[in-house]
Each structure stands twice: as C-alpha cells, then as structure tokens.
Amino acid sequence: MNPAIIIKMKKLIYLFALSLIANITIAQEPLKKTVFIIVDGIPVDIIHKASTPNLDRIEKEGVFLESYVGGERGGYSQTPTISSNGYATLITGTWVNKHNVWDNGIDDPNYNYPTIFRLYKDAYPEGKTAIYSTWLDNRTKLLGEGLDATDNLKLDYTFDGLELDTLNYPHDKHSYYIKRIDAEVAIEAAKSIYKNGPELSWVYLQFTDDESHRYGDSPEFFNSITYHDALVGLIYDAVKQREEEFNEEWLVVVATDHGRTPITARSHGGQSDSERNTWFVLNKKDINEYARNYRTAGVDLLPTISDFMDIEIDQNTRYELDGLSLFNTVEAFGLKGTMIDNSNLLLSWTAIDRKADTTAEVLISTTNNIKEGKPDTYKKIGEVQIKAETALLSINVPKGSEFVKVVLKTPNQTLNYWVENISSK
C-alpha cells in the first residue's frame, strides 16, 4: 500500500480515537462538589428586610427554606441559640445533647458524633476539603483538626486565624477589623475554590452578628447583611465558573446559625421563636416533599450534603442523626415517644404521605455507648404503618434503665428519639 495512504489512514484513526475520548469525557457525569456558607446571626424576618441580590439569584436557581435551631423546646435536645452551638448542629446533624457544644468556649465537643468533614474523608480519603473562616476555633475545636479523637482529621486548604493577628488587623470597638477579615476570607475562598476546586468547603463570615449586637434591628444591620451578600456573590461566581469550565456540579448552601431576640434583635441564646428561626438558601430546586411543605431544621444540613455527595454513613452514626435529607425520599419526621407504664411505649410522628401503605421498623436500645465511641445494640420490637402516625408497643425494659433510645427505620430513612426517666413511671 502507498506509504502516503498508510500515514493518512493512521491520522484518521488517531482523530477518530480522539473524538471517541472527547465524547466519553462529555458523557461522564459531572463531579459533585459542595460549599456551605454560614453568615452569622440573621433571623428569617430580617433577611427579607435587607438587599440581597446574590442570595436572590441563588434562590432563583434553587430555593429559600425557613428553618429552625434550638432542638426540642423544653425537651432533652433543647440547644442554646448561640453561634458555636449552631455551627456544631449544622456540621454534625445532631443537637447539643449529642455534640456537647454548649457555648462559645467549646470546652468538650463529643467527636464521637462525626462532622460532615470526617464522614466525607472516611468515604473519600483522596477527596479535598477546605475551610475559610473568620474564626479559627471552627477548624481547631469544632472540626478538631489533627486530634486523635477525630482520627487526625486534616483539611487540605485552610484560611483562618486572622482575628488573632492584631498587628495587621488591630481590634477596634466597631469591629471593622472583622469586616476586613470577612472580605479577606471570602476573596480567598473564591480564589481557592476556582483554582483548587475542593470537593467540600466551609466558609464562615461573622460581621453581621457583630453589627446586630451593636445596633439591633437597624439600617446598620441591614447594610452588614448586604455586605455579606456581596461576599457570597464572589464565592458563587467562582462556583459558576468551575461548573462551566470543569464539568462539575456544585451544591451551594447559604445558612445562618441562629436568630435574634424579639423587638431589638440585639442578642440571642434563648428559645423565643425569633431566636430559633433560621433559614437555608440552596441552588437546587429538586428538594423533597419534607423540605417543600414543612419547616426544615439546622440538623438537616449534614444529611443533605451526604446525599448529594453520595457519602455512605455507617449505621451507628445514622441512628443518631437528628436531621433529614432535603433531597432523598423522606416518609416521616417529628418522632416523639413516652412510656405509658414500664411496659408500653407510645410513639407519634408526622407522615409525609398519609395514603401510602409504607411499613417501618421500630428498634430500641437501653444503652448510650455511642457517647463513648462504642456501638449500641438495638432490638426490633415491632413494625408500624407510617400513615397511622402513632403506635403503642409493648417493650421489656431492663430494671434500672433510665431511658430508651428509639429508632423508627423506614425504607429510606431513620428517625430517633430518647424516652427519658422511664424507671420512675
């Protein structure tokens, strides 16, 4: 055969192979990545008073959801509406009775209830994680980077601690140094997200909380919200650029950690509606019926990210999660229980579909070994129809037991509730 023809045929085969590779690349599913942004201390009613064009455009692509923090008011899971409690709730999917972060001192977090970062690293050891924060303790204490108790969790990209640099960021009574640091954090987050594309990132911005403590429900507070909105816009632009250039699909969640006191909005920490009322903004519209029709909770962030990122969660951790996914199917929520006497357990919950013939298992444990990092043993005590929304079950509780941990296991989820003080009933 003519050598020129052979060369031409080889070129055609090479070009055809390149075309196949290109088509395969295009056909691949986009790589999933997540960034969640916490803007501090903005209640639902006040977020709507401020100009937030960037949150508005995220909402236009997705959804705005009213949420709450604070656990069960008056119950065993009641959680102070303070910043560190709010962050811990968001990143562990549990209330304070489990994560044990009671105040901003963060003296003794219980790392046996893992954060979303530990769960991600366990599932994808080679995946990249990042934190960009105006408060160093978010990484060193709440995430527990480098501690034995967190299996020496290590984040791949970090930018924080500027609040400790009093030379370059001298502290002033108006907290303008925090405003400057927030800008530095957001700019670095946007640059790093675009350049490095970490799979899971946390951005934390503080200035809104400072302004509210100082001025309350005021134009100054509204302006600080608009300022944070602009910083969120920088990060969102970086995400959009990544999606366009690198065949990635990003989940963006913007959330707040707590509301504020009624009327003045100067403080927080209590259990008033305005202190408990929070919100999520997501860039996704395909939420489930639970998210669409009911008030979500701060504990829902972790299972939502886990579902989007396809993170496998072990059974011991799943049974302890207090939150629900906003994406995957949810059959029920709001599990509660009480002992009628020492041998009868009364349960109630809310069914999403009151017509569906869906069965759930009821499991119980009378130990709380997970608190010490050890597994609990659960025993199945019966099955219930979810649409019934209530059940009375006979149980045998060992003498001296002070509580029962109940798990309602549906085909797609689990709910849990602690029934306390049973020995006295």
Side-chain angles (χ1 to χ4, degrees):
M1 185 178 290
N2 189 315
I5 294 176
I6 294 174
I7 292 172
K8 188 174 181 179
M9 289 179 64
K10 286 182 176 180
K11 285 183 177 180
L12 288 172
I13 293 170
Y14 176 71
L15 290 173
F16 179 71
L18 286 180
S19 175
L20 285 177
I21 292 171
N23 287 333
I24 291 171
T25 301
I26 292 171
Q28 286 178 341
E29 288 292 323
L31 184 62
K32 291 183 176 181
K33 300 189 175 187
T34 295
V35 56
F36 65 94
I37 305 168
I38 299 178
V39 287
D40 204 315
I42 309 172
V44 170
D45 58 329
I46 290 180
I47 192 69
H48 295 308
K49 294 180 181 179
S51 173
T52 55
N54 291 291
L55 286 178
D56 293 345
R57 68 184 175 113
I58 298 174
E59 179 184 350
K60 187 175 181 180
E61 291 193 13
V63 65
F64 179 97
L65 299 173
E66 293 194 6
S67 189
Y68 75 93
V69 294
E72 181 185 0
R73 189 188 277 124
Y76 68 86
S77 66
Q78 180 172 299
T79 301
T81 53
I82 298 172
S83 293
S84 61
N85 315 90
Y87 314 153
T89 291
L90 288 161
I91 65 176
T92 66
T94 66
W95 300 116
V96 72
N97 59 299
K98 296 174 184 176
H99 63 61
N100 203 45
V101 177
W102 288 93
D103 54 43
N104 288 340
I106 316 177
D107 295 323
D108 190 24
N110 192 334
Y111 298 117
N112 293 315
Y113 301 93
T115 67
I116 186 62
F117 285 90
R118 270 189 65 198
L119 293 174
Y120 177 75
K121 278 294 191 180
D122 287 346
Y124 303 102
E126 301 305 315
K128 303 301 182 184
T129 57
I131 186 169
Y132 316 95
S133 173
T134 300
W135 199 32
L136 179 64
D137 286 356
N138 284 338
R139 172 167 59 91
T140 58
K141 292 185 177 182
L142 290 179
L143 295 183
E145 185 182 47
L147 301 180
D148 290 342
T150 63
D151 296 330
N152 295 300
L153 174 72
K154 176 67 176 176
L155 280 78
D156 298 281
Y157 306 102
T158 64
F159 187 83
D160 53 17
L162 297 185
E163 74 276 14
L164 305 180
D165 182 358
T166 56
L167 180 63
N168 291 306
Y169 301 92
H171 294 195
D172 63 282
K173 65 179 182 179
H174 295 291
S175 293
Y176 292 145
Y177 76 101
I178 292 295
K179 186 177 183 180
R180 288 181 56 208
I181 291 172
D182 279 351
E184 297 275 8
V185 166
I187 291 168
E188 180 62 27
K191 288 166 55 179
S192 178
I193 283 172
Y194 175 71
K195 178 182 177 181
N196 303 309
E199 278 71 26
L200 178 62
S201 302
W202 174 11
V203 181
Y204 166 66
L205 306 174
Q206 178 181 319
F207 188 58
T208 44
D209 190 58
D210 290 358
E211 286 293 89
S212 185
H213 279 299
R214 186 169 294 107
Y215 299 107
D217 190 345
S218 64
E220 288 85 355
F221 187 21
F222 306 156
N223 288 339
S224 70
I225 296 170
T226 301
Y227 177 71
H228 271 181
D229 178 80
L231 300 182
V232 169
L234 294 177
I235 298 163
Y236 195 55
D237 285 341
V239 166
K240 299 298 287 183
Q241 200 69 22
R242 287 286 312 188
E243 288 186 323
E244 183 177 328
E245 295 183 19
F246 297 99
N247 190 38
E248 296 170 347
E249 180 186 1
W250 282 71
L251 170 63
V252 178
V253 184
V254 187
T256 198
D257 52 338
H258 56 75
R260 312 204 74 84
T261 48
I263 304 175
T264 67
R266 285 182 181 270
S267 189
H268 54 87
Q271 292 294 315
S272 67
D273 286 346
S274 59
E275 289 166 283
R276 291 166 58 88
N277 288 349
T278 57
W279 48 269
F280 290 123
V281 177
L282 287 74
N283 66 327
K284 304 293 181 186
K285 289 187 180 296
D286 53 343
I287 57 174
N288 56 29
E289 291 299 310
Y290 159 70
R292 187 172 292 111
N293 297 316
Y294 299 92
R295 194 178 193 98
T296 63
V299 286
D300 296 337
L301 179 69
L302 181 146
T304 298
I305 294 174
S306 297
D307 278 352
F308 177 77
M309 301 281 285
D310 299 315
I311 299 172
E312 288 290 333
I313 301 178
D314 67 274
Q315 177 179 287
N316 292 325
T317 299
R318 280 190 290 111
Y319 282 5
E320 299 296 332
L321 290 179
D322 295 319
L324 299 169
S325 170
L326 305 181
F327 295 136
N328 283 2
T329 300
V330 169
E331 291 101 345
F333 70 96
L335 177 67
K336 292 187 179 182
T338 187
M339 294 295 294
I340 301 301
D341 51 44
N342 284 334
S343 60
N344 289 289
L345 173 65
L346 179 63
L347 299 177
S348 64
W349 58 88
T350 299
I352 299 295
D353 185 349
R354 293 179 174 87
K355 296 181 180 179
D357 292 321
T358 308
T359 301
E361 298 179 346
V362 179
L363 314 173
I364 64 166
S365 175
T366 56
T367 64
N368 193 28
N369 297 328
I370 194 71
K371 181 179 179 180
E372 309 298 331
K374 302 172 185 176
D376 291 303
T377 300
Y378 282 87
K379 176 184 177 182
K380 179 179 174 180
I381 62 168
E383 295 185 349
V384 298
Q385 284 289 308
I386 294 175
K387 67 181 181 181
E389 298 191 314
T390 187
L392 182 64
L393 300 168
S394 297
I395 62 173
N396 293 315
V397 180
K399 187 176 180 180
S401 298
E402 296 182 354
F403 72 97
V404 171
K405 296 202 304 189
V406 182
V407 168
L408 186 71
K409 186 176 181 182
T410 79
N412 293 288
Q413 62 171 117
T414 62
L415 299 173
N416 75 88
Y417 192 81
W418 292 5
V419 180
E420 297 185 301
N421 302 319
I422 61 173
S423 59
S424 63
K425 293 186 180 297

